[in-house]
Amino acid sequence: MEPPSPFARVVKSSERGLLVLVGIVSLLSAALVLWIAHDAVLAAGFAAATMIFATVLHVARSLFRPAAQARIEFDWALVREAADNDEAAIAVTDRAGRLVCANSLHESWFGGPTAPPALGLGDAGESSLGAAGRAAWRDGRASAGGLKRDHLHFGAEVIRGGRNEDHLIWRFTAARAFDMASEARRLIEGEAGNRLGEAGIMAVLIGADGRVQSATRAMLLRAAGRADAPLGGRDFVSLLATSQEGEVRFSAEGAKGAPLRLMQIPLEPDNPETSTLVLILDDDASPTGTGGGIAHIQSLLGILPLGLALADRDGRFLFLNDAFCRAVNLPAGSRPIYPGDLVVREDKAAVADSVRRFATGQAMTGDIAVRLRDQPEEPVALTIAGARGLGEAAVLLSIKDNSEESRLKKQVAQATKMQAVGQLAGGVAHDFNNILTGILGHCDLMMMRHTPGDSDYDDIQQIRSNANRAASLTRQLLAFSRQQTLRPQILQLPDIVSEISNLLQRLLGETVVLTVKHGRNLGAVRADPGQLEQVIVNLAVNARDAMPRGGTVTIQTYSVPIAEVRKLGSDILPIADYTALSVSDTGTGIAPELLPKIFEPFFTTKEVGKGTGLGLSTVYGIVKQSGGFIFADSKPGEGTSFVIYLPVHRAEAPAAPARVKAKEKPAESWGSGTILLVEDEDMVRAVAERALSRNGYTVVTAENGEAALQILAQRSDI
């Protein structure tokens, strides 16, 4: 039997000491009980119980002592056998950095069982790998990439592991082989190829047999006319044509195409079987190009009346002529960088995309509708053409100055709208007049049966008054629609103004000063005096409402001869002699955006309930029906001026009156006879029939012309 180990001897001596200690404690406890209880039997029993309990615990501990835990030893041969089946080089190091285990691939790559990071990777590689090891001790996992040893490229992953996490596991994996041809194909067919095309560079990948493997969209567009053309497998040389001067062009573009410059880039110079990358650019410096003559081209474009500009492949402006600057309302001395700077934000992307497409594609032309930044409400046509052989210029842009055309379109649209609304207002006024005729007729019939003082007389009179007010509104609608019946006379405008001056003074009030000025040698005009008075009153009332704190209203008449009309240069006012009537105020004025709408019906700038919107439209209708013209000029805060131009009336020599045989005066037929009454409106027909019947006539009615003709054919007493 082996002698007990020192550890066993120490355990046994500690157990005996524990028993002695328990005995001493038992005796002391018994003495304490004896001193407290003064009972020797109780003290002896307590000491005996304590000793028995300690003995039982000692025996139980001896019988059920746990077995000593066996120490586990690692079988590193088994671990290495498992690691050799991995495709990675694996090494395990301990806390001190010593190599514990490594697989065969690790020994093959790094020349033997070498502990990382000292693997012959150079200073940078070992520094990167050492930092990864420190990070793995701290964070549990780390990695390093871009490691190189001789011709081998690989990456490393470091993991902290083990029962107590006191080892590092190093896994090294070889990097994927870099295929230059595949990478070049990926770049050409992807976004990088599009960026090359936008920069004016076409790229094509050609195999060792000279056939196309891949090409950029710009190359496909130029060589085949379509960005999705299937050129794969085509002989690259067949896409090109060489002139007698040695210039290379695309066969699809012919002799008019831009000369090309080709640059070949072998992907693997040492391997003749590898692919070749060819970059193609337009040869701006070719003998047939304009190169140095671009200044002459710009001089020629500068004197043309068309708006023309040149831009390079990046879309930057190189040249803008004066007509182009006027068409886009560019201030003097201002020059934008890109065409997109001239249009509204929503159109910038479309313009930029079109410029790039025409700069890199074939020499073709296209139009795009855009809205200029200074004129967003009026779309204009921007013509873009691909330019070749003009040096840096790759795109020619053209825009037409259509400001005058736009102004005329607005005027025509306004006139058409006013005419349509006028026809509508005339139809409404006609139907409204028929209703009012029936109302007024029945009121008159009822008033014949009632006398003043009767209980119903005042009510009937109120109905009649309101109907007359409605009739005046109808006359305004007819005036606007130019369908009212005028009674024109030869008159002088100062006479009309003088007749209503007192009325105007009362209408304007005490806070408004009325100033009247008359010119000399005024020509007579032919117009309805009552309607002209309404025109002046409407304009004066509008002027008063525009001056809530008071001001001055100026009414002026003056002559406008033909020479002054020519100086005005108006496209609306015909060349003739006019007598003008001007009504001006010092009020708040009208905003520029509202000025074109003031003559529209039911449009008003006044508060709700303070204007019908028919005042100025009525004025417009009366002036137009009288053969005149009206213009408004206003500046916010400075007042408004309305000017009416009426043509001077030229009196013709009266013709000799023809002898007319005097007709015999018909016999009085009041209260007798038969009358045929034709009216399509039932209400008006009923009123007229009752009125005639009251005067003793026999009335036969017809609702239309055909019915009236049938009645005339059947009766002879009408």
Side-chain angles (χ1 to χ4, degrees), residues 556-567:
Q556 186 177 2
T557 59
Y558 54 94
S559 176
V560 185
I562 291 179
E564 293 188 11
V565 175
R566 288 196 177 96
K567 291 181 181 179

Side-chain angles (χ1 to χ4, degrees), residues 320-349:
L320 299 89
N321 67 358
D322 295 338
F324 191 92
C325 295
R326 288 194 302 269
V328 297
N329 296 324
L330 275 181
S334 173
R335 177 175 173 176
I337 300 177
Y338 296 97
D341 298 337
L342 303 175
V343 300
V344 297
R345 183 178 58 184
E346 293 80 2
D347 294 343
K348 287 181 180 292

Side-chain angles (χ1 to χ4, degrees), residues 250-314:
F250 284 116
S251 301
E253 295 182 351
K256 296 183 179 179
L260 305 175
R261 184 172 56 194
L262 280 66
M263 294 183 292
Q264 300 185 32
I265 305 175
L267 299 183
E268 295 182 21
D270 299 334
N271 185 5
E273 299 298 325
T274 190
S275 302
T276 301
L277 179 65
V278 179
L279 301 182
I280 307 174
L281 299 89
D282 288 334
D283 191 4
D284 296 331
S286 63
T288 58
T290 54
I294 186 63
H296 301 290
I297 297 295
Q298 293 183 359
S299 300
L300 176 62
L301 298 180
I303 62 176
L304 291 176
L306 301 175
L308 299 170
L310 293 174
D312 60 14
R313 290 186 178 87
D314 296 330

